[in-house]
Amino acid sequence: PEIRLANGPSRCQGRVEILYNGSWGTVCDDDWDIVDANVVCRQLGCGHAIVLPAAMTFGQGSGPIFLDNVDCKGREAALSECWSHGWGIHNCYHYEDVAVVCNEFSPTQASEGPTSRTLTASVQDGESDGSIRLVSGTDTCRGRVEIFYRGNWGTVCDDDWGLSDASVVCKQVGCGQALDYKSNAYFGYGTGRILLDNVNCDGSEPFLSACYSLGWGIHNCGHHEDAGVICTGLDTSTITSFTTSVALDYEETLTATATAATDGRDQPSQATEVVTTGLLTFEQESDDVRLANGNGSCRGRVEVRHRGTWGTVCDDDWDFPDAQVVCRQLGCGTALAATVLGSFGYGSGPVLLDNVGCGGGEARLADCFHLGWGQHNCGHHEDAGVICRGESRSEPGRERGTQCWGEHGQGLPPGLPHPIPSAGSVRLVNGSHRCEGRVEMFYLSQWGTVCDDAWDLRDAKVVCRQLGCGHAMAAWGEARYGQGTGYIFLDNLKCKGHEPSLLRCSHIRWDVHNCDHSEDAGAACGIL
């Protein structure tokens, strides 16, 4: 079947439409990711995908929705070769139509200059062993680390992966300094060979391949351990500032200063300008937020507005710091609870935010990390909510200063229906005192355990601090404190040690693990 990108400024960006049985139809965004978008761009001869546009960026389609839950592996020649539920089988609406922005304005302009920050010095003569690229990030200076070796791209395992390793990668691809390093396939699962493992750079190396590792292709990893980086941005030695006016599809014009690699020219190449235009368009965010279906103005289902449309927030990774930001943004005082699983009823319209990750100090929910407007894998049964304390002047009868609520799920004021405790709360079970035992976490309205794969003292440190139990003395595995029951919520935990809760640590998605309860993790803390 043929494919086209509709309603965009060029043939290489727009809403994805596919021809089947003589009719054009759209593709639903369930499970859509950068790998699927890359197949579309390559099929059209438009290079590779550089960004996943927000829902409805290029408008809603019409006619049939032909494909849903598309899952490409990345090597397919056409989108129709990727797995899906089948032609015409879906549970979607046209506000979920997918769109892509490819890196080439048109195939004839592919050589006009760099449109990607994944170039290395050797790429000009073709990729050579050790060349690096960053894949599946929201911009070209963050993503999964992929390295070239003997004619093929492969990934890097996250064993021993750290900031010094990330700094070498960022420097090599001309993206400045490293802001953070990521593990557990934070930027999605790669394909092909895992080429490096146990990388250990001191930070001074010119290339990642110059750092210590086990050797090319030697590893004990899976793609769920693919390493990633987040860099500051394009090296300032190659940055030129320019002003561009961007016509947005909702009849608003944005004029902004942007940066692009220009190869010494006075103005950016047309290909570069298209890339920057796309990125500017998708960074327009609304700060509107409201609470719906609660019995008061300071509790309810969280709804956000983007481009004039109200939608909901998915509860994946939703926790107390996220609720704090919402409550503060609404002037509702401190948060009492972060609710999940549609506690305040199922919303309608699009799911606008997913995998929200606030630190707690942000001024707006839109300032927190998320997958991007309209990017999610959720249904309305996962709509997130909050319960805020409310301003004391509006509730003069509320007792102040006597309640304690946080990650520990203690002290819920009388009359609040749920939840006790909050999602992400932890406890230690079956030890000799409250600061020792099997690690259990409350999530999806029930207690579950943590697998001991990659469990170490840094993970235990987070648990001990979360419980107010002082320093971590030991991180135990193999169900030292007995086998638990129920779900195993976390596996391959890789905390850095400073996170406020286990949910904030890098980990495999809660429903993906290779453990049983004989591997339940435990911790022993020093009692304060």
Side-chain angles (χ1 to χ4, degrees):
E2 295 182 33
I3 198 165
R4 68 186 182 189
L5 299 181
N7 209 34
S10 78
R11 64 174 293 273
C12 290
Q13 52 183 312
R15 182 178 63 250
V16 178
E17 296 190 350
I18 191 166
L19 184 67
Y20 180 69
N21 277 350
S23 298
W24 288 97
T26 61
V27 178
C28 181
D29 66 5
D30 293 344
D31 294 337
W32 185 260
D33 60 22
I34 199 76
V35 178
D36 310 317
N38 274 331
V39 172
V40 171
C41 292
R42 187 170 61 249
Q43 184 177 353
L44 289 166
C46 288
H48 63 265
I50 58 165
V51 70
L52 294 176
M56 299 184 289
T57 297
F58 296 104
Q60 296 186 28
S62 58
I65 298 172
F66 276 139
L67 297 177
D68 188 17
N69 295 95
V70 175
D71 184 16
C72 302
K73 301 305 178 187
R75 298 181 183 274
E76 297 86 352
L79 191 67
S80 57
E81 297 177 8
C82 302
W83 187 92
S84 71
H85 280 307
W87 292 102
I89 301 173
H90 68 88
N91 61 347
C92 305
Y93 298 93
H94 278 297
Y95 63 75
E96 299 172 89
D97 289 343
V98 299
V100 302
V101 172
C102 309
N103 74 321
E104 293 177 13
F105 180 75
S106 69
T108 60
Q109 295 170 338
S111 61
E112 284 203 17
T115 58
S116 168
R117 298 171 193 172
T118 61
L119 300 174
T120 71
S122 60
V123 172
Q124 296 167 353
D125 302 315
E127 283 97 358
S128 63
D129 290 353
S131 294
I132 291 286
R133 67 183 183 186
L134 302 181
V135 179
S136 298
T138 54
D139 63 56
T140 47
C141 280
R142 66 179 66 198
R144 181 176 62 251
V145 178
E146 297 195 348
I147 190 165
F148 192 81
Y149 182 65
R150 293 192 175 176
N152 293 292
W153 289 98
T155 62
V156 177
C157 182
D158 64 9
D159 293 344
D160 294 337
W161 189 250
L163 199 61
S164 59
D165 310 315
S167 68
V168 172
V169 169
C170 293
K171 182 171 55 182
Q172 182 175 347
V173 297
C175 280
Q177 298 177 332
L179 289 175
D180 200 2
Y181 62 94
K182 295 296 182 181
S183 55
N184 286 329
Y186 181 88
F187 292 104
Y189 291 12
T191 57
R193 296 180 65 193
I194 298 170
L195 290 173
L196 294 179
D197 188 16
N198 291 94
V199 176
N200 187 4
C201 306
D202 62 26
S204 64
E205 298 87 350
F207 306 107
L208 188 68
S209 56
C211 302
Y212 169 84
S213 72
L214 297 182
W216 292 107
I218 302 172
H219 68 87
N220 62 345
C221 307
H223 281 298
H224 62 283
E225 298 171 272
D226 285 344
V229 300
I230 297 176
C231 312
T232 55
L234 197 59
D235 190 337
T236 56
S237 65
T238 60
I239 284 181
T240 300
S241 291
F242 64 96
T243 299
T244 183
S245 184
V246 182
L248 303 181
D249 55 284
Y250 51 101
E251 299 180 356
E252 178 182 344
T253 298
L254 165 71
T255 299
T257 298
T259 59
T262 63
D263 270 0
R265 291 187 289 268
D266 292 334
Q267 292 295 323
S269 68
Q270 191 174 13
T272 302
E273 190 163 359
V274 168
V275 173
T276 311
T277 298
L279 292 174
L280 287 170
T281 300
F282 312 134
E283 286 172 1
Q284 290 302 100
E285 299 175 352
S286 166
D287 60 0
D288 290 321
V289 64
R290 69 186 182 189
L291 300 181
N293 212 37
N295 60 0
S297 61
C298 284
R299 68 183 68 181
R301 181 176 62 249
V302 177
E303 297 190 349
V304 291
R305 184 166 61 182
H306 181 60
R307 293 189 175 176
T309 299
W310 286 97
T312 61
V313 177
C314 181
D315 65 9
D316 292 344
D317 293 338
W318 186 254
D319 57 13
F320 195 72
D322 309 320
Q324 287 279 40
V325 172
V326 171
C327 293
R328 186 169 58 250
Q329 184 176 350
L330 289 169
C332 280
T334 59
L336 295 174
T339 71
V340 296
L341 295 174
S343 295
F344 289 101
Y346 294 3
S348 58
V351 179
L352 288 175
L353 295 179
D354 188 16
N355 290 94
V356 174
C358 302
E362 296 85 353
R364 309 175 308 152
L365 191 64
D367 294 336
C368 302
F369 170 84
H370 55 83
L371 295 183
W373 290 103
Q375 304 301 317
H376 68 88
N377 61 348
C378 306
H380 283 299
H381 63 286
E382 299 171 271
D383 285 344
V386 298
I387 300 173
C388 311
R389 184 176 295 280
E391 291 295 349
S392 58
R393 60 178 178 273
S394 63
E395 297 180 350
R398 184 180 293 281
E399 184 178 352
R400 302 181 64 198
T402 60
Q403 301 292 344
C404 173
W405 175 264
E407 291 292 325
H408 320 316
Q410 299 169 344
L412 188 67
L416 291 183
H418 52 70
I420 298 178
S422 62
S425 296
V426 294
R427 67 185 182 187
L428 296 177
V429 178
N430 216 29
S432 60
H433 51 80
R434 81 168 192 90
C435 291
E436 176 192 27
R438 182 176 61 250
V439 178
E440 296 193 350
M441 187 182 77
F442 193 80
Y443 193 59
L444 299 178
S445 302
Q446 58 196 295
W447 288 100
T449 64
V450 175
C451 182
D452 64 8
D453 292 347
W455 180 257
D456 62 18
L457 207 59
R458 288 172 296 184
D459 308 316
K461 180 179 178 182
V462 174
V463 171
C464 295
R465 186 172 59 252
Q466 192 174 345
L467 289 171
C469 283
H471 296 292
M473 308 296 289
W476 299 107
E478 299 181 344
R480 180 183 177 91
Y481 297 100
Q483 297 188 24
T485 58
Y487 284 119
I488 298 172
F489 280 132
L490 297 176
D491 185 19
N492 224 46
L493 259 176
K494 291 181 180 173
C495 300
K496 297 174 183 176
H498 58 73
E499 295 87 351
S501 73
L502 282 185
L503 273 180
R504 308 288 294 173
C505 300
S506 174
H507 60 275
I508 299 176
R509 206 174 69 224
W510 75 265
D511 55 347
V512 178
H513 65 82
N514 59 350
C515 307
D516 58 41
H517 284 296
S518 68
E519 300 171 85
D520 285 344
C525 315
I527 307 173
L528 286 181

